Amino acid sequence: MSLHTDLLRRLQSAARVQLVARLTDDRMNFPQTNELHVFIPDLHLITAARRLEGGYQYGTNYPDLLEAVVGQLQGLKTDAAPAGEVVVYQIGDLFDLWRQVDGLDPNANAASAIQNDHASLLKALRDPDLNAQFLLGNHDYDLYRFPNFDAWQRSYVLSPSVMLLHGDVFDWVEKLPDELQNLALFLFTKNPVGTADLEKMRPLNNKQRGGRKFKKFIQNQAPAPTGKWREMADDDGRNWNVQVEGTAPREMLLYLDEARQKCAEANSKFGSSLNVAVIGHTHHARIAVHDGADGFFALMDCGAWIENCSTADDPKPQANAQIAALSGNEARIYQLSPLG
Amino acid sequence: MRYALLVCALGFGAGCAVRYPLVVPVREQQFRSSDQPAALPLSAEARAEVANFLEHGGNRFGRNAVPDKQAEGHKQILDALADAGNLKIRADLATSDFCAIAAQLCQAAPIFRKRIAVTQVIDARSRAPEVPDPIAVCDDEYCWVFRQAANQLTQLVVMRSVWRAKP
């Protein structure tokens, strides 16, 4: 029994589970079978009143299901210890401050208002026994200013080879002047970025907002194509729906090159050996791989819990509700939907 | 003209300055009205405990009574907090205006008018920040820290403020 199997059982007790993608490859260089890292991507929570007032087309999908899943993750973590370690991450854009308020009023209590409106979900996610780790996304970047959220990070390195970050940095990193390029590259190290660095990068983050309102969509005007999903009963344990550079459509490879390039830069500058990146941000669940003479690199985009996706079998929009996991050189993305 | 330029420069500087949210730290035992927050609406016993704390200058272990400059306002607060009808709030509002959040309470206890709601309450005894966030509102001498759930104020602890008015 692996921790992947334990996780799947737990998820199946709370949700219908389909396999979006699986990559098993020793070249990921993340062999730890006694560690399971679970990634919950973008939720973009706002208050119900604000959604109505702002006329936002999209809200968070299946918050009750997610709360049940988080409860299962806590059970898994407890059961797995001490032989196994389960670490749960919410990888940014948990809150959508950009949609909740029009500008940053330092005392506007926007994060608290959202948290109060989704109290039971947030209580589960922020339970000290779950000890979930949180990343700041672009839509909740300003949380670093709030003491009750300032333990949140911009990136994590899962030693030895995995870079975990929200992914928005790839929107703008190539456009930066040298000084800020170095600052951005600092995200790709084990050192946590300090408040002063976050403050320096804040204008860049706000520039991305660019006055947009995000009423009709945030990332994807059309459902994100996710290839073919597999029912777990049909699963044969082999790689599934992996998008390989050279054969996969271009849209399935978004940020693969950028992530590979930045990890390579960090490897050469800081002596690391990063060759897997785990991101959210794009709301487009997929595993993409570069496999060439110059090396191997994998990008796992964990998807979202907002907006829609479609499969190759069924163009009908389906609510994004993905969760991803990594353990023992195996990465998986699941699509969840309510039971019954 | 010079004065106008100065005001302009100060205004511009303040606008660009890094501003962080207000924080209310939970104070040491003697400066808190009770160890555990009192349930709301206030019972006669809990009310007496808070009143006693205020009468001793916000020092629970103090021996001498200290005149309370805001005694009238504090009495109104305690009266209001004994009535369940005043405990309804709008916790989902992204505002720092306490009276927008707790309209009924403000009506019954005008001392809270134009006061700022602070949701960053730091309690070093806790393993993690509380969810949902407590809401604190400070008058001239005391911070009133409310726990809340489902758009109701549910518990209260009063602390002597770190910031005190000049004697």
Side-chain angles (χ1 to χ4, degrees), chain A residues 3 27 97 104 109 112 158 187 218 223 225 255 257 277 287 293 305 317:
Chain A
L3 286 171
R27 290 175 296 174
L97 303 181
L104 175 72
N109 303 329
S112 294
L158 316 183
L187 289 174
I218 298 170
Y255 294 148
D257 262 355
I287 295 177
W305 287 70

Side-chain angles (χ1 to χ4, degrees), chain A residues 242-255:
Chain A
V242 175
Q243 311 296 321
V244 181
E245 195 175 35
T247 58
R250 199 179 160 79
E251 64 191 357
M252 302 301 278
L253 304 173
L254 180 66
Y255 294 148

Side-chain angles (χ1 to χ4, degrees), chain A residues 58-73:
Chain A
Y58 288 104
T60 304
N61 300 327
Y62 308 135
D64 294 341
L65 172 62
L66 182 57
E67 189 181 330
V69 166
V70 172
Q72 290 298 325
L73 293 175

Side-chain angles (χ1 to χ4, degrees), chain A residues 35 55 59 68 82 98-99 118 179 237 339:
Chain A
E35 289 178 24
W98 283 2
R99 294 197 305 161
H118 300 275
E179 182 209 353
L339 287 169

Side-chain angles (χ1 to χ4, degrees), chain B residues 80-94:
Chain B
L81 291 176
D83 180 350
N86 294 323
L87 304 180
K88 198 169 164 43
I89 56 168
R90 281 287 311 273
D92 65 334
L93 290 181

Side-chain angles (χ1 to χ4, degrees), chain A residues 124-178:
Chain A
L125 275 169
R126 302 191 75 184
D127 189 315
D129 289 332
L130 181 65
N131 193 24
Q133 307 296 302
F134 294 89
L135 284 179
L136 298 166
N138 50 329
H139 286 246
D140 55 11
Y141 186 94
D142 288 335
L143 287 178
Y144 73 88
R145 294 176 167 219
F146 291 78
N148 280 343
F149 300 94
D150 70 357
W152 298 19
Q153 299 289 318
R154 275 293 274 170
S155 59
Y156 287 100
V157 169
L158 316 183
S159 287
S161 59
V162 180
M163 183 72 232
L164 171 61
L165 67 173
H166 180 61
D168 56 299
V169 65
F170 300 127
D171 288 344
W172 42 263
V173 70
E174 294 308 326
K175 301 167 199 157
L176 296 179
D178 284 351

